[in-house]
Amino acid sequence: MEEGTGPVMVASTEGTLPAASVLPSGRKAGAVTAAASLRDSLARRLGNTGIRLLVPALILIGWWALSQSEVGSLIVAPPLEAVQRVFTDFFSGDVSRLFLGNATFDHLFPSIYRAMAGLLLAVVIGIVIGVALGVVPVLTALFQPLIHLGRSLPSPALLGVFFFLFGTGDSPKIFLIAFSVIWPILFNTIDGVQSVGAGRMQAAAVFKIPRRKVLTSIILPGAGPKIFAGVRTAMSLSLIIMIISELQKSENGLGYLLIRTQRDFDYTGFWSVLIVLAVLGVALNSIFVFAERRALAWHRGVTQQND
C-alpha cells in the first residue's frame, strides 16, 4: 500500500488490526515503569500519612479512655463533646459574622492580636540589634553580659513588673511577649550574620558595593535561614507567653477563658479551648512554613546543588 492511502494493517490471530494499535515494546516498558512509579509514590504518601496520623489517633484513644474512667471522667470531657463545644462557642450560622461565634471575636481574635503584635515587635528589634551586634564584634563583647542576663530572667515572673510599668491593657501583655520571645531571634541573627564569612565581606569591599546593598544582598540573605529558625521558635513561645499573660488582670483572651472555665467547673469548655489552641498553633506553623519556603527557595536550591 502506498504512503498516505490509509492505515497499515497488521495480521493477528483475531484478524487484522491497525499498526497504530500495536505499541512498541519500548513504549510498553515505559508505560509499565511509569505506572509502577506512580503506585510506589502513592504507597509512600499513604504510608507517611498513616505514620503521621498514628500518634494523634493514639492520643485521641487515650483521651477518650481517660474520659470514660471513674476518676478521669470528673475533669476530662469526651473528645466528641469538646469538639461540639468548639463549634458551639467559636462558630455560628450568621453569614454577616462570617459564621464565627462570640468566643471568636471576644477571646480568640484578641489573643491572636497580642501574640502576633508581640512577635512582630520582637522580630523587628531582634533582627535590628542582632545585625548590629553581628557586624560589629566589639558591640557583641560589650553587650554580651547584659544579653545573657536578660535571657536568664524568667519571663512569667516579670508579669507583675510589666503590669506595674504599662498598666492593665494590652500593652503589658504585648511587651511581655516581645521580651520573652526576642532571645532566640536575637541569638540566631547574631550567629547568622557572623556566619556570612569575611570572604564575602572583603569581596564586597573590593568591589566597593554600598553598605545598604551589602546589608540587603549579602548579610540578610546569608543569615536568613538562621533568622527564620529563630522566628519559628519565637512563634511557638509567643503562644505560651500569651496564655500566661492573660491569666491575670484580663477580661478576654484564651488564657482568661481557660481560667474562667476552670473556676466554673466547665471542663467541656476548658477542653474546647485547648483544642482551639492546638489548631491555632498548627495553623500558624503551617503559614510560617509556607512563607519560609517561599522566602528561602534560593537557599534550598543552593544546598541541593552543593549536596
Side-chain angles (χ1 to χ4, degrees), residues 131-147:
V131 170
L133 297 181
V135 172
V136 185
V138 176
L139 292 179
T140 305
L142 183 63
F143 289 98
Q144 189 174 20
L146 182 62
I147 292 174

Side-chain angles (χ1 to χ4, degrees), residues 75-89:
I75 58 175
V76 180
L80 182 58
E81 293 183 8
V83 172
Q84 290 175 346
R85 182 66 177 272
V86 170
F87 283 94
T88 301
D89 293 347

